[in-house]
Amino acid sequence: MLLLVVPILCLTVASCNSDNNTGEPADNESESEPVAVDDALLNEAVQTYAAGVHSAYDTSLMSAHAMDAAIDAFLESPSQATLDSARHTWLVAREDYGPTEVFRFYGGPIDHEETGTEGMINAWPLDEAYIDYVEGSPNAGIINNPEDYPQITAGLLLQLNEQGGEANISTGWHAIEFLLWGQDLNQNGPGNRPVTDYTTAANSDRRSQYLEVVTDQLIIHLEELVNAWAPDKDNYRKTFESMGAREALQLAFTGIGEMSRGELAGERMNVAYTERSQEDEHSCFSDNTTADIVGNARGIEMVLLGSYPGGVSGVGLLDLVRVADSSLADQLRSEVAISVSLARAIPEPFDQHLQDDVSDQDPGRKAILATIEALENQTDTIVDAADVLGIMLNVS
């Protein structure tokens, strides 16, 4: 299906404090005329972005296929070794998927208002009790009689996803994660679901069926994203490349702007940090949250640099900014490199820093806060960078 994008006249990057809907210029909005950038260079940036999105999603799909094969091998012959292999391939696949989250936030294929699949791919946090009903627990989630659903199908999981609440997640990465690791009750490591959950435990057949179906469904959703950005097809990429260059680049800037502060610094880090809630961290069952944060931060960096997985490289957003204002480009390059470095420095596991008795002066909590602040600061520079190109991003 061809997805249509409504042009965005200005980007609002979410703030934790208040919204400015007055229509007045933001304090940091420049009144100077943007520096002219050659149209050919702008178009090259659009082409690089489109090719990079496709390649990044394709890379994610390939590693997800490897995960799917490992999970099939585990289900065919459950053992600690095959379970460990399945878990390992999930972690590898997550590393490839994390940077692609920056392609959200502008009504593209993954989060289109009507047809987007993000809520079925990477929604979180996950209510373990909701998942339990699929495993046969009669007192969990909104389904009190799982025997009424003798067969777990893709249609059933999609129907139940987020039914009754945003935490009622039944599909995607984190449902698979929970089925592989189980609840994390260990302060020093991830969950440790026993192999017997898939052999001799009650409802082991049902659990196996769920894991197989939910993994296959993730593959289908990733394939849809790859196809939406594939070259030379009547798809979203054709629409993206056919719109005006600045309109397309505004969407790319939207992605990095929203990811930088509202999503990564805010929803994915600050909520868990301030609430001290393990349930609010991104990959709480596998203790992969720090790696998730790094992957998201790297996504911002790769769009700016125009360097993507699969060997795709070309004109990035930073190259355009450099033509208009080289010192601003240097500042943004430095700030993004710092935020990625700070994210990498957050000690694992992330949930150790969320305990009630851990001081805010603890090195782990200080590392989280430093990363949050770096992401917030670089967002202002992203806004300025867009501004010099004549792309207005209002920060509220």
Side-chain angles (χ1 to χ4, degrees):
M1 174 183 292
L2 181 62
L3 301 179
L4 300 179
V5 176
V6 178
I8 301 173
L9 298 181
C10 64
L11 165 67
T12 299
V13 180
S15 169
C16 296
N17 297 319
S18 62
D19 295 329
N20 177 10
N21 297 316
T22 64
E24 295 298 322
D27 291 341
N28 64 339
E29 186 173 304
S30 172
E31 297 182 356
S32 60
E33 291 294 323
V35 176
V37 178
D38 184 72
D39 286 344
L41 192 65
L42 295 174
N43 288 325
E44 280 190 59
V46 171
Q47 298 295 322
T48 298
Y49 180 85
V53 175
H54 176 255
S55 185
Y57 276 135
D58 192 51
T59 298
S60 177
L61 175 61
M62 287 189 291
S63 58
H65 273 301
M67 176 188 69
D68 186 30
I71 287 175
D72 286 344
F74 163 64
L75 294 176
E76 182 177 347
S77 181
S79 69
Q80 191 61 53
T82 54
L83 177 56
D84 288 344
S85 177
R87 289 170 174 170
H88 173 72
T89 56
W90 186 93
L91 294 170
V92 172
R94 281 294 290 180
E95 185 172 352
D96 287 336
Y97 179 78
T100 71
E101 285 278 275
V102 79
F103 308 138
R104 293 180 49 203
F105 313 113
Y106 53 79
I110 190 168
D111 57 359
H112 186 274
E113 183 177 357
E114 296 180 356
T115 60
T117 54
E118 200 282 332
M120 293 175 281
I121 293 177
N122 194 46
W124 62 282
L126 189 88
D127 184 346
E128 299 100 328
Y130 187 77
I131 288 287
D132 282 344
Y133 96 86
V134 184
E135 300 182 328
S137 174
N139 60 351
I142 62 170
I143 305 300
N144 292 323
N145 297 300
E147 62 271 15
D148 291 343
Y149 301 88
Q151 293 296 318
I152 298 173
T153 65
L156 174 64
L157 296 183
L158 295 175
Q159 171 193 340
L160 295 175
N161 192 59
E162 295 188 348
Q163 184 173 329
E166 292 184 355
N168 291 343
I169 306 302
S170 58
T171 66
W173 288 106
H174 299 296
I176 298 170
E177 178 193 10
F178 180 68
L179 288 165
L180 291 176
W181 274 273
Q183 188 176 6
D184 181 8
L185 302 175
N186 181 4
Q187 292 186 7
N188 300 311
N192 189 26
R193 183 186 290 278
V195 176
T196 52
D197 273 6
Y198 291 91
T199 55
T200 59
N203 306 300
S204 58
D205 289 345
R206 186 178 179 84
R207 190 171 295 115
S208 297
Q209 187 182 59
Y210 185 13
L211 180 56
E212 180 178 11
V213 171
V214 74
T215 305
D216 289 345
Q217 191 59 46
L218 176 64
I219 296 293
I220 291 171
H221 285 141
L222 291 174
E223 286 174 341
E224 291 172 352
L225 293 173
V226 172
N227 291 335
W229 285 95
D232 304 320
K233 291 187 177 182
D234 189 17
N235 57 4
Y236 178 83
R237 178 171 176 174
K238 181 178 180 180
T239 301
F240 182 85
E241 292 178 331
S242 298
M243 64 180 65
R246 278 191 168 80
E247 184 179 346
L249 293 170
Q250 185 177 53
L251 301 183
F253 270 105
T254 297
I256 64 173
E258 291 283 5
M259 173 57 78
S260 184
R261 175 149 64 195
E263 184 70 15
L264 183 52
E267 293 294 327
R268 304 190 179 198
M269 297 187 67
N270 194 54
V271 172
Y273 175 84
T274 57
E275 298 296 325
R276 293 178 179 261
S277 170
Q278 180 182 2
E279 298 301 318
D280 286 313
E281 65 163 320
H282 205 161
S283 294
C284 63
F285 311 117
S286 62
D287 276 347
N288 196 58
T289 298
T290 296
D292 285 334
I293 292 167
V294 172
N296 295 162
R298 284 177 47 235
I300 298 168
E301 185 176 50
M302 76 181 181
V303 172
L304 284 168
L305 297 180
S307 179
Y308 297 85
V312 173
S313 62
V315 177
L317 301 188
L318 202 64
D319 293 313
L320 305 178
V321 178
R322 192 169 303 282
V323 171
D325 188 331
S326 61
S327 62
L328 183 61
D330 288 341
Q331 177 184 342
L332 182 55
R333 179 69 189 98
S334 175
E335 289 176 350
V336 171
I338 288 171
S339 68
V340 172
S341 178
L342 288 172
R344 293 185 188 279
I346 298 173
E348 298 178 336
F350 191 89
D351 58 12
Q352 281 190 335
H353 318 307
L354 307 180
Q355 304 300 319
D356 289 337
D357 59 350
V358 177
S359 166
D360 283 343
Q361 298 306 309
D362 178 84
R365 285 188 64 79
K366 290 175 70 174
I368 294 172
L369 184 59
T371 307
I372 291 172
E373 291 175 343
L375 290 164
E376 290 176 338
N377 290 338
Q378 78 182 27
T379 308
D380 292 334
T381 310
I382 289 171
V383 171
D384 292 340
D387 184 55
V388 299
L389 298 173
I391 299 172
M392 305 308 297
L393 308 181
N394 254 351
V395 176
S396 58

Short mmCIF file of all heavy atoms in Angstrom, two decimals, residues 193-222:
data_model
loop_
_atom_site.label_atom_id
_atom_site.label_comp_id
_atom_site.label_asym_id
_atom_site.label_seq_id
_atom_site.Cartn_x
_atom_site.Cartn_y
_atom_site.Cartn_z
N ARG A 193 14.75 -18.07 32.60
CA ARG A 193 13.68 -19.03 32.37
C ARG A 193 14.28 -20.41 32.15
O ARG A 193 15.20 -20.57 31.34
CB ARG A 193 12.86 -18.62 31.14
CG ARG A 193 11.68 -19.54 30.87
CD ARG A 193 10.99 -19.19 29.57
NE ARG A 193 10.28 -17.92 29.62
CZ ARG A 193 9.06 -17.76 30.12
NH1 ARG A 193 8.43 -18.81 30.66
NH2 ARG A 193 8.48 -16.58 30.11
N PRO A 194 13.78 -21.44 32.84
CA PRO A 194 14.36 -22.77 32.68
C PRO A 194 13.92 -23.44 31.38
O PRO A 194 12.83 -23.17 30.87
CB PRO A 194 13.81 -23.53 33.89
CG PRO A 194 12.52 -22.85 34.20
CD PRO A 194 12.75 -21.39 33.88
N VAL A 195 14.76 -24.31 30.87
CA VAL A 195 14.43 -25.06 29.67
C VAL A 195 13.16 -25.87 29.87
O VAL A 195 12.38 -26.10 28.93
CB VAL A 195 15.60 -25.98 29.27
CG1 VAL A 195 15.22 -26.85 28.07
CG2 VAL A 195 16.84 -25.16 28.95
N THR A 196 12.92 -26.31 31.10
CA THR A 196 11.74 -27.13 31.38
C THR A 196 10.43 -26.41 31.06
O THR A 196 9.40 -27.06 30.90
CB THR A 196 11.73 -27.58 32.85
OG1 THR A 196 11.89 -26.43 33.69
CG2 THR A 196 12.85 -28.57 33.11
N ASP A 197 10.46 -25.08 30.96
CA ASP A 197 9.26 -24.36 30.55
C ASP A 197 8.82 -24.77 29.15
O ASP A 197 7.66 -24.51 28.76
CB ASP A 197 9.50 -22.85 30.59
CG ASP A 197 9.24 -22.26 31.97
OD1 ASP A 197 8.97 -23.04 32.91
OD2 ASP A 197 9.29 -21.03 32.10
N TYR A 198 9.74 -25.36 28.40
CA TYR A 198 9.44 -25.79 27.04
C TYR A 198 9.48 -27.31 26.88
O TYR A 198 9.44 -27.81 25.76
CB TYR A 198 10.41 -25.13 26.06
CG TYR A 198 10.18 -23.65 25.92
CD1 TYR A 198 10.85 -22.74 26.75
CD2 TYR A 198 9.27 -23.15 25.00
CE1 TYR A 198 10.61 -21.37 26.64
CE2 TYR A 198 9.03 -21.79 24.87
CZ TYR A 198 9.71 -20.91 25.70
OH TYR A 198 9.47 -19.56 25.60
N THR A 199 9.58 -28.02 28.01
CA THR A 199 9.63 -29.47 27.93
C THR A 199 8.59 -30.11 28.85
O THR A 199 7.54 -30.57 28.39
CB THR A 199 11.03 -29.99 28.28
OG1 THR A 199 11.42 -29.49 29.58
CG2 THR A 199 12.05 -29.56 27.24
N THR A 200 8.83 -30.08 30.15
CA THR A 200 7.97 -30.81 31.08
C THR A 200 7.03 -29.93 31.88
O THR A 200 6.11 -30.44 32.54
CB THR A 200 8.84 -31.61 32.07
OG1 THR A 200 9.70 -30.70 32.78
CG2 THR A 200 9.68 -32.64 31.33
N ALA A 201 7.20 -28.62 31.86
CA ALA A 201 6.36 -27.73 32.65
C ALA A 201 4.95 -27.67 32.07
O ALA A 201 4.72 -28.00 30.90
CB ALA A 201 6.96 -26.33 32.70
N ALA A 202 4.02 -27.24 32.91
CA ALA A 202 2.64 -27.09 32.44
C ALA A 202 2.59 -26.11 31.28
O ALA A 202 3.29 -25.09 31.26
CB ALA A 202 1.76 -26.59 33.59
N ASN A 203 1.79 -26.43 30.28
CA ASN A 203 1.56 -25.57 29.12
C ASN A 203 2.80 -25.36 28.26
O ASN A 203 2.92 -24.35 27.57
CB ASN A 203 1.00 -24.21 29.55
CG ASN A 203 -0.25 -24.35 30.39
OD1 ASN A 203 -1.24 -24.91 29.95
ND2 ASN A 203 -0.18 -23.85 31.62
N SER A 204 3.75 -26.29 28.32
CA SER A 204 4.97 -26.13 27.53
C SER A 204 4.67 -26.10 26.03
O SER A 204 5.30 -25.34 25.28
CB SER A 204 5.96 -27.25 27.85
OG SER A 204 5.39 -28.52 27.59
N ASP A 205 3.70 -26.91 25.59
CA ASP A 205 3.36 -26.91 24.16
C ASP A 205 2.78 -25.55 23.74
O ASP A 205 3.09 -25.04 22.67
CB ASP A 205 2.34 -28.01 23.87
CG ASP A 205 2.94 -29.40 23.96
OD1 ASP A 205 4.18 -29.50 23.97
OD2 ASP A 205 2.18 -30.37 24.03
N ARG A 206 1.95 -25.00 24.59
CA ARG A 206 1.34 -23.70 24.31
C ARG A 206 2.40 -22.61 24.26
O ARG A 206 2.39 -21.73 23.40
CB ARG A 206 0.30 -23.39 25.38
CG ARG A 206 -0.52 -22.14 25.14
CD ARG A 206 -1.55 -21.98 26.25
NE ARG A 206 -2.34 -20.79 26.09
CZ ARG A 206 -3.43 -20.69 25.31
NH1 ARG A 206 -3.83 -21.74 24.62
NH2 ARG A 206 -4.11 -19.57 25.23
N ARG A 207 3.33 -22.68 25.18
CA ARG A 207 4.42 -21.69 25.23
C ARG A 207 5.28 -21.78 23.97
O ARG A 207 5.67 -20.77 23.39
CB ARG A 207 5.26 -21.94 26.49
CG ARG A 207 6.26 -20.86 26.82
CD ARG A 207 6.87 -21.11 28.19
NE ARG A 207 5.88 -20.99 29.24
CZ ARG A 207 5.48 -21.99 30.03
NH1 ARG A 207 5.98 -23.21 29.85
NH2 ARG A 207 4.59 -21.78 30.97
N SER A 208 5.56 -23.00 23.54
CA SER A 208 6.36 -23.20 22.33
C SER A 208 5.64 -22.64 21.11
O SER A 208 6.25 -22.00 20.24
CB SER A 208 6.64 -24.69 22.13
OG SER A 208 7.41 -25.21 23.20
N GLN A 209 4.35 -22.90 21.05
CA GLN A 209 3.55 -22.40 19.93
C GLN A 209 3.58 -20.87 19.89
O GLN A 209 3.73 -20.26 18.82
CB GLN A 209 2.12 -22.91 20.07
CG GLN A 209 1.23 -22.60 18.89
CD GLN A 209 -0.18 -23.11 19.11
OE1 GLN A 209 -0.83 -22.72 20.08
NE2 GLN A 209 -0.65 -23.98 18.23
N TYR A 210 3.45 -20.26 21.04
CA TYR A 210 3.47 -18.80 21.12
C TYR A 210 4.80 -18.25 20.62
O TYR A 210 4.85 -17.32 19.81
CB TYR A 210 3.21 -18.39 22.57
CG TYR A 210 3.07 -16.90 22.81
CD1 TYR A 210 2.93 -15.98 21.77
CD2 TYR A 210 3.08 -16.41 24.11
CE1 TYR A 210 2.80 -14.63 22.02
CE2 TYR A 210 2.95 -15.05 24.37
CZ TYR A 210 2.82 -14.17 23.31
OH TYR A 210 2.69 -12.83 23.56
N LEU A 211 5.90 -18.80 21.11
CA LEU A 211 7.22 -18.32 20.72
C LEU A 211 7.43 -18.44 19.22
O LEU A 211 7.97 -17.53 18.58
CB LEU A 211 8.31 -19.08 21.48
CG LEU A 211 9.76 -18.68 21.19
CD1 LEU A 211 9.99 -17.19 21.43
CD2 LEU A 211 10.72 -19.51 22.04
N GLU A 212 6.99 -19.53 18.64
CA GLU A 212 7.15 -19.72 17.20
C GLU A 212 6.33 -18.70 16.41
O GLU A 212 6.83 -18.06 15.47
CB GLU A 212 6.73 -21.14 16.81
CG GLU A 212 6.87 -21.42 15.32
CD GLU A 212 6.49 -22.84 14.96
OE1 GLU A 212 5.92 -23.55 15.80
OE2 GLU A 212 6.77 -23.24 13.80
N VAL A 213 5.06 -18.52 16.79
CA VAL A 213 4.18 -17.62 16.05
C VAL A 213 4.62 -16.17 16.19
O VAL A 213 4.65 -15.42 15.21
CB VAL A 213 2.72 -17.79 16.53
CG1 VAL A 213 1.82 -16.72 15.92
CG2 VAL A 213 2.20 -19.17 16.17
N VAL A 214 4.97 -15.74 17.39
CA VAL A 214 5.32 -14.34 17.61
C VAL A 214 6.63 -13.98 16.89
O VAL A 214 6.78 -12.86 16.39
CB VAL A 214 5.40 -14.01 19.12
CG1 VAL A 214 6.65 -14.58 19.76
CG2 VAL A 214 5.32 -12.50 19.35
N THR A 215 7.55 -14.94 16.79
CA THR A 215 8.79 -14.68 16.07
C THR A 215 8.54 -14.58 14.57
O THR A 215 9.07 -13.68 13.90
CB THR A 215 9.81 -15.79 16.36
OG1 THR A 215 10.01 -15.91 17.77
CG2 THR A 215 11.15 -15.47 15.71
N ASP A 216 7.71 -15.48 14.06
CA ASP A 216 7.37 -15.41 12.63
C ASP A 216 6.68 -14.09 12.30
O ASP A 216 6.91 -13.51 11.22
CB ASP A 216 6.46 -16.58 12.25
CG ASP A 216 7.17 -17.92 12.26
OD1 ASP A 216 8.41 -17.93 12.28
OD2 ASP A 216 6.48 -18.95 12.26
N GLN A 217 5.84 -13.60 13.20
CA GLN A 217 5.12 -12.35 12.95
C GLN A 217 6.08 -11.16 12.93
O GLN A 217 5.90 -10.22 12.14
CB GLN A 217 4.03 -12.14 14.00
CG GLN A 217 3.07 -11.02 13.67
CD GLN A 217 2.35 -11.23 12.35
OE1 GLN A 217 1.85 -12.32 12.08
NE2 GLN A 217 2.29 -10.20 11.52
N LEU A 218 7.09 -11.17 13.77
CA LEU A 218 8.09 -10.11 13.75
C LEU A 218 8.80 -10.08 12.40
O LEU A 218 9.04 -8.99 11.84
CB LEU A 218 9.10 -10.30 14.89
CG LEU A 218 10.25 -9.29 14.92
CD1 LEU A 218 9.74 -7.88 15.17
CD2 LEU A 218 11.28 -9.68 15.98
N ILE A 219 9.13 -11.24 11.88
CA ILE A 219 9.78 -11.31 10.57
C ILE A 219 8.88 -10.67 9.51
O ILE A 219 9.34 -9.89 8.66
CB ILE A 219 10.06 -12.78 10.19
CG1 ILE A 219 11.07 -13.41 11.16
CG2 ILE A 219 10.57 -12.87 8.76
CD1 ILE A 219 12.45 -12.84 11.11
N ILE A 220 7.60 -10.97 9.56
CA ILE A 220 6.65 -10.41 8.58
C ILE A 220 6.64 -8.88 8.66
O ILE A 220 6.67 -8.18 7.64
CB ILE A 220 5.24 -10.98 8.81
CG1 ILE A 220 5.21 -12.46 8.43
CG2 ILE A 220 4.20 -10.20 8.01
CD1 ILE A 220 3.93 -13.16 8.81
N HIS A 221 6.61 -8.34 9.87
CA HIS A 221 6.57 -6.89 10.03
C HIS A 221 7.86 -6.23 9.55
O HIS A 221 7.83 -5.15 8.94
CB HIS A 221 6.31 -6.52 11.49
CG HIS A 221 4.89 -6.73 11.91
ND1 HIS A 221 4.53 -7.23 13.14
CD2 HIS A 221 3.73 -6.51 11.25
CE1 HIS A 221 3.22 -7.30 13.22
NE2 HIS A 221 2.71 -6.88 12.09
N LEU A 222 8.99 -6.86 9.80
CA LEU A 222 10.26 -6.31 9.32
C LEU A 222 10.32 -6.38 7.79
O LEU A 222 10.85 -5.46 7.14
CB LEU A 222 11.43 -7.06 9.94
CG LEU A 222 11.65 -6.82 11.44
CD1 LEU A 222 12.76 -7.72 11.97
CD2 LEU A 222 11.98 -5.36 11.72
#
